Amino acid sequence: MRRKLAAGNWKMNGLTDSLDELRSLARAHPDPAVDILVCPPATLISQAAQVCAGLPVAIGGQDCHTERTGAHTGDLSAEMLKDSGACAVILGHSERREDHGETSDMVRAKARAAHAAGLMAVICLGESLAQRDAANTLDIIAAQMSLSIPDTSTAENLVIAYEPIWAIGTGKLPDAAQIGEVHDFIRTRLERRFGPGAGRGMRILYGGSVKPNNADQVFRVPNVDGALVGGASLRAEDFSPIIKALSQTG
Ligand code: PGA
């Protein structure tokens, strides 16, 4: 029912040469059984969208402003992302919540702006190690969900990425039970808030240290509809086996 999604987050990595990785990726997956999304830095969105035009690799941004236009030096609106060829935007990544003081209220406003511009919002949630150790994970996820996800969300324009902060870029992967507990919890709350139809259709990705050698164990967990991949999305030779693993599950 839910089409799986392999999403790559290039973060602050990538120059014009990196567009070759997109060409390789598209060549390796001419007719993928899953959706593929790559979110390069904003400087590459327009070129990436041209490279991927007509190919099954969609392009997204990594952040957007809450407003459509205005005096916000250095910022980009959702409409601008859309105009440059993006169809999605990552919002509320923990690095933005930490580095830029983004609150869940801001994330919700950004997601609403993304929806208004016709973009799919990939909203990131996740607990810190201290919060997990204090057994607060589900409370944190619940609070982030109710504040970060706007009422404009549908099965088509909302994707959730559960990304435990302690797993991002660390090589530390939660075990299947830990991932499953949070994904089931998110699913239940989505169904309760948006109704069984929409709530069941919204995709929930896992993110944090997904690599070619561990992807299949992540993808076997129920309610995991794909992955948001950082480091291993930078090169087609790493991202490709992850996409293949996702295609082979369920
Ligand atoms: P990672 O990053 O795959 O490099 O751990 C994931 C993310 O931050 O989205």
Side-chain angles (χ1 to χ4, degrees), residues 122 161 200:
V122 181
R200 218 170 282 152

Side-chain angles (χ1 to χ4, degrees), residues 9 45 48-49 53 68 70 89 92 94 109 118 139 144 156 160 166 188 196 201 208 219 228 234:
N9 174 10
I45 288 176
R68 273 186 58 238
V89 60
S94 61
D139 288 343
Q144 289 177 342
E156 288 73 40
I160 299 292
W166 49 276
T188 302
F219 297 148
L228 181 56
L234 294 174

Side-chain angles (χ1 to χ4, degrees), residues 182-238:
V182 177
H183 279 242
D184 290 351
F185 180 78
I186 293 172
R187 174 71 60 214
T188 302
R189 293 186 74 87
L190 288 175
E191 287 182 16
R192 202 181 303 153
R193 176 163 166 195
F194 295 100
R200 218 170 282 152
M202 291 164 169
R203 294 177 286 188
I204 309 173
L205 311 183
Y206 167 78
S209 294
V210 175
K211 306 290 176 198
N213 65 3
N214 62 23
D216 62 332
Q217 79 196 56
V218 172
F219 297 148
R220 276 199 299 267
V221 179
N223 275 318
V224 171
D225 303 311
L228 181 56
V229 183
S233 72
L234 294 174
R235 291 163 48 131
E237 68 178 47
D238 294 325

Side-chain angles (χ1 to χ4, degrees), residues 9-163:
N9 174 10
W10 283 9
K11 308 190 179 186
M12 199 174 70
N13 298 289
L15 299 172
T16 313
D17 281 358
S18 317
L19 297 169
D20 284 340
E21 300 297 333
L22 296 176
R23 292 185 185 97
S24 305
L25 203 59
R27 248 195 321 272
H29 304 277
D31 187 19
V34 302
D35 287 345
I36 303 171
L37 170 70
V38 174
C39 302
T43 46
L44 290 178
I45 288 176
S46 171
Q47 292 175 81
Q50 282 169 35
V51 165
C52 295
L55 300 174
V57 178
I59 301 301
Q62 300 175 12
D63 176 49
C64 70
H65 199 272
T66 56
E67 305 290 325
R68 273 186 58 238
T69 55
H72 302 291
T73 303
D75 280 318
L76 297 170
S77 71
E79 192 178 43
M80 290 169 180
L81 294 180
K82 175 88 176 174
D83 184 55
S84 60
C87 63
V89 60
I90 298 170
L91 294 171
H93 191 282
S94 61
E95 286 152 14
R96 292 210 58 88
R97 290 179 189 259
E98 276 172 30
D99 297 353
H100 299 270
E102 278 190 12
T103 63
S104 290
D105 283 328
M106 289 160 71
V107 173
R108 185 177 73 252
K110 288 177 176 209
R112 201 179 289 128
H115 289 163
L119 296 178
M120 180 175 83
V122 181
I123 298 182
C124 303
L125 316 168
E127 82 287 0
S128 67
L129 192 55
Q131 288 164 336
R132 174 161 285 274
D133 287 345
N136 284 335
T137 298
L138 297 182
D139 288 343
I140 293 294
I141 298 296
Q144 289 177 342
M145 283 185 77
S146 45
L147 292 176
S148 307
I149 302 173
D151 289 336
T152 48
S153 303
T154 67
E156 288 73 40
N157 71 15
L158 178 76
V159 171
I160 299 292
Y162 167 55
E163 299 207 306

